[in-house]
Each structure stands twice: as structure tokens, then as C-alpha cells.
């Protein structure tokens, strides 16, 4: 399936009796977006090997090009490599902190929340006006969480009742640093403030109630930005000091833990599975699902642990020969599994006992309302799942049956339903399955290759 296509596609998923092989899931979206944005304001040329190519990252690259950044995309011609498409690289000609050009049109962020929120931080410190806009889906997502702190820093932002489009006014002078305890634990909010902090006088300090993904901090540190992190008063704090310029970087993007997660759960619930997941990003702020699966009784072998750039990476081998059992997930573990909660719900349908997920209100404001909509779709496959005020509860194990379900325009919903359909007793049709192109255009081909 070509990403960027507006064709609506339905996908048939047949039940399977085993899953075999090895897979390198597509590269990490969060890291690719950050590398594209930060590479664009570095002082020189950055090289991003194996960037993720999907709808979200294409939108991010397009925005940076509109701001005057030259981004070359070299695709490998090595046809012998099974991962030849992954041998591509972005060569980003950074324009320095103050070298971006005024865009002649709106910066269209597609459906990429990370592009819109992080870019807003970066744009808030520029001397020119710009408008950030996005798809109908992105226009519904909450933006006040970033516009409020950015305004406290002195940014001039007009948001349409808290949503995109965002009109950001050019500033003749610097922003000012703030000390901000964020009301929601969100890496996008934290990163927007840190990127604005690059254009602020004084220190920029952020405190979050749970430690969210720290790819921005790791990348900024590599680029020479002085950063301190500590824990106090029940919060995780990060402080950034002024830096006159950013060093360019070279990095290889690991496979996205959140994309590999669909296969982790498939390996745990499909019998007779031997599956090796390669090059998986193992940043501890992202790997909550591994802890959850272990607590549920899965066996996880972590091999070939290494550091790529500033990020830990490993190969994983997962199975659950004795089945899974239900558990409770809350607090820090919920934050560290936030994007994996839909696929965790699928695992829970096959686990013995009750699985309760708490502190997951944020699921209501993802690409779809994952508490109401996703739960209803999983129900259609026979799952015994109910939304609660701040999460969901699953009673298992339940035999699933095939049905016609809807991807709800949400990549993680469509991929989670596909994994559930693997263990159903009859075929399932997923309507609008093309939405996987947001992060994982080749998902259904990869799945077919392992069955
Ligand atoms: C992301 C942060 C998370 C996550 C999203 C990607 C990022 O969102 O759910 O898929 O790249 O920073 P929030 O910051 O809204 O929690």
C-alpha cells in the first residue's frame, strides 16, 4: 500500500495457527520527527539513517522544506538487502537556530500531532508569522496544552478554541524561559516547551508527573544543549539553559517500539510462534509493554543490546508457552505504555482473569477516542471489554470471532484489530485499513510475510 494515498481500503484478515520468522519493524516515528525538526535548525549538515517514511514523517519533512530547509532523501539501490528500503537516509542541511525562512503557505502537518505540537514550539521563537494547520482529524485534537505554556513564554498564538489552525506571530525579541509543571504528562507538550526554550532567555524548566518519552532531551544533549534532569515533589524535572547554536548530528533510527508492539502481542497470543523482532528501540520511557507482558506471564528474551546514537536498541524474542494472566496497569506503567494500550487490550482478551488499565484518560484524545471507539470495535470481535472513567477493563480469556470492524481512521486501532483477528475463529474485515499508513504503510504485507 502506497502511503499518502487517499484510497479507502478494506483488509481481510484470516485466522492463523502460527507465526514464524523475523521482522525489522519500521523506524521510530518520534525520533524521525525530532531529527527532522532539530536537524533543520542545526549549524550544518545532519545525517539521519533509516528514517521512517510514512504519512506523519512526510508531513514533517514537507513543513521543514517550506521553512527553507533542504532535505535530501537518498534511497539505497542495494537490492540484495532484505531491508533495502531501510538503507535510505535524510541529509538535512540545517540553517542554524535563526536561519529558517518565512513560509509562503500554511504549514500543513497532515494528521501528525507530534509535528504540529513540536513545530509550534520551534516556530514560536521565529521572527516571521506562520499558520500551522492539519487534517480534519488533527483539527479536533487539543492544542491548548501547548499554546498555554508557549504564551507564558511570550509567544503570540491564536488557536481556534484550543485547536488548529494555529496562527503564530513573528517576534522581534526572544521568548522568556518559564518553570512549568505540566498538567498532562505528555512528551509532545514537554518537547514543544523545550524547542521554544531554544529561543528563550534564561532557563526553561518543565516538571511532569510521569516521565514521558525523552527522545527530545537525548537529541538536544547530543547537539550540545546543557540539560539537567532530577526528581522532586512527585515530578520529573528537566532544565535547559540557553545555547547559541546546535551541533549537527548523525544517527541511525531504531525500529519503532510502538510498531513492533503489534508483533510482540501477536507472538504472545498466537500458538506455535517463533518470531524475532530486530533493532527494536528500547528507550525505557517507551518499553512499558514489555514489563506488562512479563507480568502477564510472557517470556521475553532481550538479545544483542546496544546503543545507537543516544538510544538503546535490542533484538527481542517473545512467547507465552504457559498463556497469559490478567493484571492491573496504572501510573508510570500506563505512561510508559500509552501508545500500546490498544494492543495490550487485545492481549488481555486472551489472558486468564481481569485486566484493569487505569490513568489512561489521554486515550480519549489520540487519533480516535481509543476508550470509547476502539473498545466498541474490539467488542464486535467478541471481547469482554468495557471502558471505565480513566481506562478499560477486560475479562478473559474470550474466544474471539470474525466480524466487520472499523479502523476508525486510527492506525493503532486498525493494527490492534488485525492482531485480534489472527486468533478469531473466522475471517475479519477491517474497514478503512489504509489508515495504517500514518506510521506503518507496510503493516499488512509484513504480517502476511510471517503467517
Ligand atoms: C509522542 C508522544 C505521545 C504519543 C504519540 C507520540 C511523541 O503523545 O502518544 O504517539 O512523539 O512525542 P502525547 O505527548 O500526547 O502523550
Amino acid at each position: 500500500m502506497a502511503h499518502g494515498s487517499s484510497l479507502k481500503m478494506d483488509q481481510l484478515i484470516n485466522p492463523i495457527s502460527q507465526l514464524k520468522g523475523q521482522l525489522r519493524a519500521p523506524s521510530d516515528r518520534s525520533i524521525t520527527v525530532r531529527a527532522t525538526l532539530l536537524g533543520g535548525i542545526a549549524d550544518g549538515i545532519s545525517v539521519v539513517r533509516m528514517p521512517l517514511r510514512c504519512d506523519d514523517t512526510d508531513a514533517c519533512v514537507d513543513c521543514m522544506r517550506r521553512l527553507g530547509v533542504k532535505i535530501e532523501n537518498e534511497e539505497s539501490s542495494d537490492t540484495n538487502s532484505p531491508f533495502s528500503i531501510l538503507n535510505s537516509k535524510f541529509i538535512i542541511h540545517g540553517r542554524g537556530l535563526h536561519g529558517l525562512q518565512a513560509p509562503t503557505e500554511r504549514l500543513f502537518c497532515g494528521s501528525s500531532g507530534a509535528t504540529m505540537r513540536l513545530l509550534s514550539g520551534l516556530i514560536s521563537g521565529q521572527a516571521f508569522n506562520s499558520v500551522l494547520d492539519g487534517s480534519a482529524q488533527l483539527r479536533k485534537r487539543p492544542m491548548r496544552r501547548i499554546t498555554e505554556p508557549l504564551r507564558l513564554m511570550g509567544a503570540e498564538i491564536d488557536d481556534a478554541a484550543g485547536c488548529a489552525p494555529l496562527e503564530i506571530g513573528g517576534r522581534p525579541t526572544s521568548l522568556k524561559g518559564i518553570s512549568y509543571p505540566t498538567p498532562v504528562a505528555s512528551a509532545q507538550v514537554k518537547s514543544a516547551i523545550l524547542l521554544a526554550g531554544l529561543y528563550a532567555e534564561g532557563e526553561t524548566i518543565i516538571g511532569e508527573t510521569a516521565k514521558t518519552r525523552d527522545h527530545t532531551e537525548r537529541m538536544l544533549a547530543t547537539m550540545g544543549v546543557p540539560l539537567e534532569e532530577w526528581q522532586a515533589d512527585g515530578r520529573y524535572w528537566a532544565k535547559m539553559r540557553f545555547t547559541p547554536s546546535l551541533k549537527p548530528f548523525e544517527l541511525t533510527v531504531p525500529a519503532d517500539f510502538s510498531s513492533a508492539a503489534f508483533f510482540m502481542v501477536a507472538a504472545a497470543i498466537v500458538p506455535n510462534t517463533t518470531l524475532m523482532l530486530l533493532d527494536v528501540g528500547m528507550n525505557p520511557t517507551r518499553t512499558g509493554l514489555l514489563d506488562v507482558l512479563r507480568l502477564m506471564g510472557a517470556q521475553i528474551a532481550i538479545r544483542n543490546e546496544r546503543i545507537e546514537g543516544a538510544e538503546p536498541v535490542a533484538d527481542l524474542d517473545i512467547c507465552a508457552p504457559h498463556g497469559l494472566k490478567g493484571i492491573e496497569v496504572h501510573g508510570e506503567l500506563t505512561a510508559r505504555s500509552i501508545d500500546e494500550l490498544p494492543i495490550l487490550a487485545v492481549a488481555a482478551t486472551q489472558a486468564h482473569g481481569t485486566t484493569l488499565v487505569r490513568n489512561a484518560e489521554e486515550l480519549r484524545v489520540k487519533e480516535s477516542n481509543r476508550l470509547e471507539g476502539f473498545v466498541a470495535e474490539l467488542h464486535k470481535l467478541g471481547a469482554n471489554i468495557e471502558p471505565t472513567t480513566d481506562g478499560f477493563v477486560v475479562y478473559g480469556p474470550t474466544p474471539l470471532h470474525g466480524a466487520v470492524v472499523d479502523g476508525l481512521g486510527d492506525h493503532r486501532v486498525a493494527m490492534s484489530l488485525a492482531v485480534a483477528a489472527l486468533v478469531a475463529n473466522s475471517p475479519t474485515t477491517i474497514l478503512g485499513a489504509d489508515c495504517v499508513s500514518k506510521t506503518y504503510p507496510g503493516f499488512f504485507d509484513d504480517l502476511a510475510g510471517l503467517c
Side-chain angles (χ1 to χ4, degrees):
M1 190 192 327
H3 63 271
S5 129
S6 57
L7 262 181
K8 282 264 171 268
M9 188 198 77
D10 301 336
Q11 179 75 41
L12 181 73
I13 305 282
N14 287 309
I16 57 171
S17 55
Q18 59 168 34
L19 205 54
K20 290 219 177 317
Q22 58 176 34
L23 178 81
R24 201 268 185 201
S27 291
D28 191 283
R29 173 185 57 164
S30 295
I31 296 177
T32 304
V33 164
R34 284 156 173 79
T36 307
L37 298 175
L38 285 170
I41 52 170
D43 248 13
I45 296 182
S46 296
V47 178
V48 183
R49 287 181 290 270
M50 295 196 192
L52 174 65
R53 295 295 314 278
C54 65
D55 294 351
D56 276 12
T57 54
D58 282 358
C60 185
V61 166
D62 186 59
C63 287
M64 290 311 277
R65 286 189 175 140
R66 282 178 196 280
L67 290 162
V69 179
K70 181 172 165 196
I71 302 178
E72 296 170 87
N73 179 23
E74 274 186 11
E75 301 263 322
S76 161
S77 54
D78 175 10
T79 46
N80 293 326
S81 160
F83 306 128
S84 60
I85 186 68
L86 298 169
N87 292 335
S88 68
K89 54 182 154 182
F90 286 166
I91 300 167
I92 306 176
H93 298 250
R95 298 183 64 99
L97 273 169
H98 299 283
L100 296 180
Q101 288 172 354
T104 51
E105 286 173 47
R106 290 175 169 226
L107 297 168
F108 188 71
C109 304
S111 293
S112 174
T115 299
M116 177 163 285
R117 295 195 177 111
L118 272 63
L119 190 57
S120 298
L122 196 160
I123 289 290
S124 290
Q126 307 300 322
F128 48 79
N129 298 339
S130 22
V131 179
L132 273 67
D133 206 350
S135 66
Q137 184 189 69
L138 186 54
R139 277 179 168 210
K140 287 194 203 129
R141 297 186 65 189
M143 291 297 149
R144 219 21 66 95
R145 53 181 59 196
I146 54 151
T147 57
E148 231 162 55
L150 292 175
R151 279 195 202 105
L152 291 176
M153 296 177 83
E156 281 155 29
I157 310 188
D158 244 354
D159 54 34
C163 295
L166 307 177
E167 290 181 27
I168 305 187
R171 288 185 48 85
T173 55
S174 306
L175 299 169
K176 54 181 187 297
I178 50 170
S179 178
Y180 191 69
T182 57
V184 275
S186 154
Q188 294 181 7
V189 172
K190 172 175 66 176
S191 301
I193 297 170
L194 287 173
L195 293 195
L198 292 170
Y199 296 91
E201 272 169 16
E203 294 170 345
T204 299
I205 304 172
I206 299 136
E208 42 184 10
T209 48
K211 188 164 166 68
T212 63
R213 66 192 67 192
D214 62 359
H215 306 300
T216 307
E217 294 93 304
R218 287 172 187 249
M219 213 173 279
L220 284 172
T222 313
M223 298 175 84
V225 177
L227 268 164
E228 260 173 66
E229 295 179 69
W230 71 97
Q231 260 178 277
D233 310 323
R235 286 187 180 259
Y236 294 83
W237 296 89
K239 174 162 83 178
M240 188 178 84
R241 256 177 279 119
F242 174 78
T243 185
S245 64
L246 299 178
K247 285 193 279 193
F249 55 85
E250 284 205 18
L251 63 83
T252 302
V253 185
D256 197 317
F257 183 91
S258 301
S259 296
F262 299 103
F263 297 96
M264 295 176 197
V265 168
I269 63 175
V270 175
N272 310 314
T273 288
T274 36
L275 181 60
M276 180 72 97
L277 297 168
L278 304 173
D279 271 1
V280 183
M282 294 287 282
N283 183 312
T285 59
R286 299 281 300 277
T287 51
L289 180 72
L290 288 183
D291 298 341
V292 172
L293 286 175
R294 243 189 228 113
L295 290 168
M296 292 176 89
Q299 293 175 5
I300 300 172
I302 302 179
R303 306 180 202 281
N304 199 10
E305 286 182 83
R306 56 212 187 265
I307 300 286
E308 298 269 10
E311 298 280 347
V313 179
D315 302 332
L316 301 180
D317 183 352
I318 297 177
C319 59
H322 310 299
L324 297 175
K325 60 177 191 295
I327 58 156
E328 183 175 323
V329 178
H330 61 268
E332 189 84 15
L333 201 46
T334 298
R336 290 176 55 237
S337 338
I338 192 71
D339 286 347
E340 285 64 72
L341 297 176
I343 193 62
L344 163 62
V346 173
T349 67
Q350 302 308 301
H352 287 262
T354 303
T355 296
L356 176 64
V357 173
R358 291 170 42 216
N359 311 123
E361 303 85 347
E362 276 293 297
L363 292 188
R364 292 188 200 280
V365 292
K366 294 294 178 190
E367 283 84 338
S368 70
N369 180 339
R370 292 180 182 160
L371 285 189
E372 307 293 335
F374 170 66
V375 163
E377 295 308 307
L378 199 51
H379 218 260
K380 289 182 190 165
L381 293 172
N384 193 349
I385 178 169
E386 299 298 337
T388 62
T389 47
D390 70 341
F392 55 81
V393 59
V394 184
Y395 305 96
T398 341
L400 300 183
H401 52 75
V404 176
V405 290
D406 198 312
L408 304 176
D410 182 338
H411 56 144
R412 299 202 202 283
V413 167
M415 291 187 270
S416 298
L417 293 170
V419 173
L422 297 176
V423 295
N425 63 7
S426 55
T428 292
T429 300
I430 303 174
L431 305 177
D434 49 297
C435 63
V436 301
S437 67
K438 189 174 199 291
T439 49
Y440 198 159
F443 175 75
F444 293 108
D445 292 340
D446 283 355
L447 184 57
L450 298 170
C451 296

